[in-house]
Amino acid sequence: MVSAAELERAVQLLVRQVGHWEQPRWGATATGGNASRADLVHRLVQEIANLAADAEGEPRRTVPRLDNDLALPDQLRVVTADLVTAGAAPEVLAGAAAEVAATRSAL
């Protein structure tokens, strides 16, 4: 099982990988796919937001896609903090960490 600290570490690694990217790099196609890197990270943000809503017993809401992709690392940090604060079960944290790792690999 994965702890909250391990999930936060996985997110930190991804943020370090992409935090310095400029807009053209975000717009590039992700490895082995047909979606942009920004689309891939936004999909991850939405998945983690959904997990947080489920853990809180709240309805799922669409995470807005901001005009500036440079905000994606911050969005990822926020939804991850929401998931941890919601007290998600270890298996939920493990699933989220696996999604973060998969996204990181695809970038």
Side-chain angles (χ1 to χ4, degrees):
M1 290 292 128
V2 172
S3 70
E6 290 168 313
L7 171 60
E8 290 168 339
R9 174 78 175 133
V11 168
Q12 183 180 48
L13 289 171
L14 187 135
V15 167
R16 281 187 193 162
Q17 179 179 342
V18 303
H20 63 280
W21 287 2
E22 297 295 329
Q23 192 61 44
R25 200 156 180 192
W26 280 109
T29 302
T31 304
N34 58 0
S36 73
R37 291 170 169 164
D39 289 341
L40 197 63
V41 173
H42 184 263
R43 190 174 311 131
L44 173 65
V45 168
Q46 184 64 62
E47 288 174 16
I48 293 177
N50 289 344
L51 293 173
D54 293 348
E56 294 170 340
E58 296 290 329
R60 291 180 173 188
R61 295 179 180 89
T62 301
V63 176
R65 180 66 189 268
L66 303 176
D67 292 336
N68 189 344
D69 293 330
L70 302 179
L72 285 166
D74 289 332
Q75 283 185 305
L76 180 58
R77 284 188 196 108
V78 168
V79 296
T80 301
D82 289 345
L83 179 60
V84 170
T85 301
E91 58 271 11
V92 173
L93 298 177
E99 288 296 324
V100 171
T103 300
R104 190 167 173 245
S105 294
L107 296 174

